[in-house]
Amino acid sequence: MPKMTTSDLKSMLAAEKADALAAISAARLAEERADAMDYYLGNMKKDMPTQEGRSRAVSTDVADTVEGLMPHLMEIFAGSDEVVRFEPVGPEDEAAAAQETDYVNHVFMQQNPGFMVLYSFIKDALLSKVGVVKVWWEEREEESRETYYDLTEDQFALLAQSVMESDGAMRIVAHTVRGAAHGADARRGDRHAELKQLPDNDQA
């Protein structure tokens, strides 16, 4: 093994020191977060253990402060119809910016629980000194079924043609023919078809 140079040794020691200090800082932060949660819940056993025969009443100042701040903070971030707004760069971008604003707000507040995401994020920041929101793209498969009754021969032919042109996105899962009375040509009878639309990828 080649001899380690002085600069390499200093670099290694500096990295080890940084790791050690980071671990100490993380441990201290974890302890502070645990204490903050205890204070929020009114648990003072660590700092002020109750004595036998004395009052166990606790002042919930931390919880009162946090809960008192939440309505004002939520009003700032979620008090309007637009949680997010895209500003146009020029006149030619106004329509696109308005569409992007409507779409992102719809995804955040309607397709996702945007209000509760913001609420949890802000409250975690007040209690734990950090608020984290995880964002990801989810592919979800959805199927839909459609049932058609009393189709004529031509209507069923158009339906079958649409299924063939869908490139596998749709398929007919059931098909029955009800012939006309008194031995009439079955081709003139009513058709019953059940159509299944195969999954599409969706966002969440």
Side-chain angles (χ1 to χ4, degrees), residues 139-177:
E139 293 185 352
R140 182 174 61 246
E141 293 186 348
E142 293 184 352
E143 294 183 355
S144 62
R145 287 176 177 261
E146 298 178 0
T147 304
Y148 300 90
Y149 295 97
D150 300 332
L151 296 177
T152 64
E153 187 76 17
D154 293 338
Q155 289 173 333
F156 180 77
L158 290 175
L159 179 63
Q161 182 179 357
S162 298
V163 171
M164 292 179 60
E165 294 174 351
S166 68
D167 294 330
M170 297 185 294
R171 65 185 177 94
I172 297 176
V173 296
H175 170 222
T176 59
V177 179

Coordinates of all heavy atoms in Angstrom, one line a residue, residues 139-177:
E139 N -48.3 6.3 -12.3 CA -49.1 5.7 -13.4 C -50.1 4.8 -12.8 O -49.8 3.8 -12.1 CB -48.1 5.0 -14.3 CG -47.1 5.9 -15.0 CD -46.3 5.1 -16.0 OE1 -46.4 3.9 -16.0 OE2 -45.6 5.7 -16.8
R140 N -51.4 5.1 -13.1 CA -52.5 4.4 -12.6 C -53.3 3.8 -13.8 O -53.6 4.5 -14.7 CB -53.4 5.3 -11.7 CG -54.6 4.6 -11.1 CD -55.3 5.5 -10.1 NE -55.8 6.7 -10.8 CZ -55.4 7.9 -10.6 NH1 -54.4 8.1 -9.7 NH2 -55.9 8.9 -11.2
E141 N -53.7 2.6 -13.6 CA -54.5 1.9 -14.7 C -56.0 2.0 -14.3 O -56.4 1.7 -13.2 CB -54.1 0.5 -14.9 CG -52.7 0.3 -15.4 CD -52.3 -1.1 -15.8 OE1 -53.1 -2.0 -15.3 OE2 -51.3 -1.4 -16.4
E142 N -56.8 2.5 -15.3 CA -58.2 2.5 -15.1 C -58.9 1.9 -16.3 O -58.5 2.0 -17.4 CB -58.7 4.0 -15.0 CG -58.1 4.7 -13.7 CD -58.7 6.1 -13.6 OE1 -59.3 6.6 -14.6 OE2 -58.5 6.7 -12.6
E143 N -60.0 1.2 -16.0 CA -60.8 0.5 -17.0 C -62.2 1.0 -16.9 O -62.7 1.4 -15.8 CB -60.8 -1.0 -16.8 CG -59.5 -1.7 -17.0 CD -59.6 -3.2 -16.9 OE1 -60.7 -3.7 -16.5 OE2 -58.6 -3.9 -17.1
S144 N -62.9 1.1 -18.0 CA -64.3 1.5 -18.1 C -65.0 0.6 -19.0 O -64.5 0.1 -20.0 CB -64.4 3.0 -18.6 OG -63.9 3.1 -19.9
R145 N -66.3 0.3 -18.7 CA -67.1 -0.5 -19.5 C -68.3 0.2 -20.0 O -68.9 1.1 -19.2 CB -67.6 -1.8 -18.7 CG -66.5 -2.8 -18.4 CD -67.0 -3.9 -17.5 NE -66.0 -4.9 -17.3 CZ -65.9 -6.1 -18.0 NH1 -66.8 -6.3 -18.9 NH2 -65.0 -7.0 -17.7
E146 N -68.7 -0.1 -21.2 CA -69.9 0.5 -21.8 C -70.7 -0.6 -22.3 O -70.2 -1.5 -23.0 CB -69.5 1.5 -22.9 CG -68.7 2.7 -22.4 CD -68.3 3.7 -23.5 OE1 -68.7 3.4 -24.6 OE2 -67.7 4.7 -23.2
T147 N -72.0 -0.5 -22.1 CA -72.9 -1.5 -22.6 C -74.0 -0.9 -23.6 O -74.5 0.1 -23.2 CB -73.7 -2.2 -21.4 OG1 -72.7 -2.7 -20.5 CG2 -74.6 -3.3 -21.9
Y148 N -74.1 -1.5 -24.7 CA -75.0 -1.0 -25.7 C -76.1 -2.1 -26.0 O -75.8 -3.3 -26.2 CB -74.3 -0.8 -27.0 CG -73.2 0.3 -26.9 CD1 -71.9 -0.1 -26.6 CD2 -73.4 1.6 -27.1 CE1 -70.9 0.8 -26.4 CE2 -72.4 2.6 -27.0 CZ -71.2 2.2 -26.7 OH -70.2 3.1 -26.5
Y149 N -77.4 -1.6 -26.0 CA -78.5 -2.6 -26.2 C -79.2 -2.2 -27.5 O -79.2 -1.1 -27.9 CB -79.5 -2.4 -25.0 CG -79.0 -2.9 -23.7 CD1 -78.5 -1.9 -22.8 CD2 -79.0 -4.2 -23.3 CE1 -78.0 -2.3 -21.5 CE2 -78.5 -4.6 -22.1 CZ -78.0 -3.7 -21.2 OH -77.5 -4.1 -20.0
D150 N -79.8 -3.3 -28.1 CA -80.7 -3.1 -29.2 C -80.0 -2.4 -30.4 O -80.5 -1.4 -31.0 CB -82.0 -2.3 -28.8 CG -82.7 -3.1 -27.7 OD1 -82.6 -4.3 -27.7 OD2 -83.4 -2.4 -27.0
L151 N -78.8 -2.8 -30.7 CA -78.0 -2.2 -31.8 C -78.5 -2.9 -33.1 O -78.7 -4.1 -33.2 CB -76.5 -2.4 -31.7 CG -75.9 -1.7 -30.5 CD1 -74.4 -2.1 -30.5 CD2 -76.0 -0.2 -30.5
T152 N -78.6 -2.1 -34.1 CA -78.9 -2.6 -35.4 C -77.6 -3.2 -36.0 O -76.5 -3.0 -35.5 CB -79.4 -1.5 -36.4 OG1 -78.4 -0.5 -36.6 CG2 -80.7 -0.9 -35.8
E153 N -77.7 -3.9 -37.1 CA -76.6 -4.5 -37.8 C -75.5 -3.4 -38.1 O -74.3 -3.6 -37.9 CB -77.0 -5.2 -39.0 CG -75.9 -6.0 -39.7 CD -75.6 -7.3 -39.0 OE1 -76.4 -7.8 -38.1 OE2 -74.5 -7.9 -39.2
D154 N -76.0 -2.3 -38.7 CA -75.1 -1.2 -39.1 C -74.4 -0.6 -37.9 O -73.2 -0.2 -37.9 CB -75.9 -0.2 -39.9 CG -76.3 -0.7 -41.2 OD1 -75.7 -1.7 -41.7 OD2 -77.3 -0.1 -41.8
Q155 N -75.2 -0.4 -36.8 CA -74.6 0.2 -35.6 C -73.5 -0.6 -35.0 O -72.5 -0.2 -34.5 CB -75.7 0.5 -34.6 CG -76.7 1.6 -35.0 CD -77.9 1.8 -34.0 OE1 -78.3 0.8 -33.4 NE2 -78.4 3.0 -33.9
F156 N -73.8 -1.9 -35.0 CA -72.8 -2.8 -34.4 C -71.6 -2.9 -35.3 O -70.4 -3.0 -34.8 CB -73.4 -4.3 -34.3 CG -72.4 -5.2 -33.7 CD1 -72.1 -5.3 -32.4 CD2 -71.7 -6.1 -34.6 CE1 -71.2 -6.1 -31.9 CE2 -70.8 -7.0 -34.1 CZ -70.5 -7.0 -32.7
A157 N -71.8 -2.8 -36.6 CA -70.6 -2.8 -37.5 C -69.7 -1.5 -37.3 O -68.5 -1.6 -37.3 CB -71.1 -2.8 -39.0
L158 N -70.4 -0.4 -37.1 CA -69.6 0.8 -36.8 C -68.9 0.7 -35.4 O -67.7 1.1 -35.3 CB -70.6 2.0 -36.7 CG -71.1 2.5 -38.0 CD1 -72.2 3.6 -37.8 CD2 -70.0 3.0 -39.0
L159 N -69.5 0.1 -34.4 CA -68.9 -0.1 -33.1 C -67.7 -1.1 -33.3 O -66.6 -0.8 -32.8 CB -69.8 -0.7 -32.1 CG -69.3 -1.0 -30.7 CD1 -68.8 0.2 -30.1 CD2 -70.4 -1.7 -29.9
A160 N -67.8 -2.1 -34.0 CA -66.7 -3.1 -34.2 C -65.6 -2.4 -35.0 O -64.4 -2.7 -34.7 CB -67.2 -4.3 -35.0
Q161 N -65.9 -1.6 -35.9 CA -64.9 -0.9 -36.7 C -64.1 0.1 -35.8 O -62.9 0.2 -35.8 CB -65.5 -0.1 -37.8 CG -64.4 0.7 -38.7 CD -65.1 1.4 -39.9 OE1 -66.3 1.4 -40.0 NE2 -64.3 2.1 -40.6
S162 N -64.8 0.8 -34.8 CA -64.1 1.6 -33.9 C -63.2 0.9 -33.0 O -62.0 1.3 -32.7 CB -65.1 2.4 -33.0 OG -65.9 3.2 -33.8
V163 N -63.6 -0.3 -32.6 CA -62.7 -1.2 -31.8 C -61.5 -1.6 -32.5 O -60.4 -1.6 -32.0 CB -63.5 -2.4 -31.3 CG1 -62.6 -3.4 -30.6 CG2 -64.6 -2.0 -30.3
M164 N -61.6 -2.0 -33.8 CA -60.5 -2.4 -34.6 C -59.5 -1.2 -34.8 O -58.3 -1.4 -34.9 CB -61.0 -2.9 -36.0 CG -61.8 -4.2 -35.9 SD -62.3 -4.8 -37.5 CE -60.8 -4.9 -38.4
E165 N -60.0 0.0 -34.9 CA -59.2 1.2 -35.2 C -58.6 1.7 -33.9 O -57.8 2.7 -33.9 CB -60.0 2.2 -35.9 CG -60.4 1.9 -37.3 CD -61.3 2.9 -37.9 OE1 -61.7 3.8 -37.1 OE2 -61.6 2.8 -39.1
S166 N -58.9 1.1 -32.7 CA -58.4 1.7 -31.4 C -57.0 1.1 -31.1 O -56.4 1.5 -30.0 CB -59.4 1.3 -30.3 OG -59.4 -0.1 -30.1
D167 N -56.4 0.3 -31.9 CA -55.1 -0.3 -31.7 C -55.0 -1.0 -30.3 O -54.0 -0.8 -29.6 CB -54.0 0.8 -31.8 CG -53.9 1.4 -33.2 OD1 -54.2 0.6 -34.2 OD2 -53.6 2.6 -33.3
G168 N -56.0 -1.7 -30.0 CA -56.0 -2.5 -28.8 C -56.5 -1.7 -27.5 O -56.5 -2.3 -26.4
A169 N -56.8 -0.5 -27.7 CA -57.3 0.3 -26.5 C -58.7 -0.1 -26.1 O -59.1 0.1 -24.9 CB -57.3 1.8 -26.8
M170 N -59.5 -0.7 -27.0 CA -60.8 -1.2 -26.7 C -61.0 -2.6 -27.2 O -60.3 -3.0 -28.2 CB -61.9 -0.3 -27.3 CG -61.9 1.2 -26.8 SD -63.2 2.1 -27.4 CE -62.8 2.2 -29.2
R171 N -61.9 -3.3 -26.6 CA -62.2 -4.7 -27.1 C -63.6 -5.0 -26.6 O -64.1 -4.5 -25.6 CB -61.3 -5.7 -26.6 CG -61.2 -6.0 -25.1 CD -60.1 -7.0 -24.8 NE -60.0 -7.2 -23.3 CZ -60.6 -8.2 -22.7 NH1 -61.4 -9.0 -23.4 NH2 -60.5 -8.4 -21.4
I172 N -64.3 -5.8 -27.4 CA -65.7 -6.2 -27.1 C -65.5 -7.5 -26.3 O -65.0 -8.5 -26.7 CB -66.4 -6.5 -28.4 CG1 -66.6 -5.2 -29.2 CG2 -67.8 -7.1 -28.1 CD1 -67.3 -5.4 -30.6
V173 N -66.1 -7.5 -25.1 CA -66.0 -8.6 -24.2 C -67.2 -9.5 -24.2 O -67.2 -10.6 -23.7 CB -65.7 -8.1 -22.7 CG1 -64.4 -7.4 -22.7 CG2 -66.8 -7.2 -22.2
A174 N -68.3 -9.0 -24.7 CA -69.5 -9.8 -24.8 C -70.4 -9.4 -25.9 O -70.4 -8.2 -26.2 CB -70.3 -9.8 -23.5
H175 N -71.0 -10.3 -26.6 CA -71.8 -10.0 -27.8 C -72.9 -11.0 -28.0 O -72.6 -12.2 -28.0 CB -70.9 -9.9 -29.0 CG -71.7 -9.8 -30.3 ND1 -71.4 -10.5 -31.4 CD2 -72.8 -9.1 -30.6 CE1 -72.2 -10.2 -32.4 NE2 -73.1 -9.4 -31.9
T176 N -74.1 -10.6 -27.9 CA -75.3 -11.5 -28.1 C -76.2 -11.0 -29.2 O -76.3 -9.8 -29.4 CB -76.1 -11.7 -26.8 OG1 -76.6 -10.4 -26.4 CG2 -75.2 -12.3 -25.7
V177 N -76.8 -11.9 -29.9 CA -77.8 -11.6 -31.0 C -79.2 -12.1 -30.6 O -79.3 -13.3 -30.2 CB -77.3 -12.2 -32.3 CG1 -78.3 -11.8 -33.4 CG2 -76.0 -11.7 -32.7

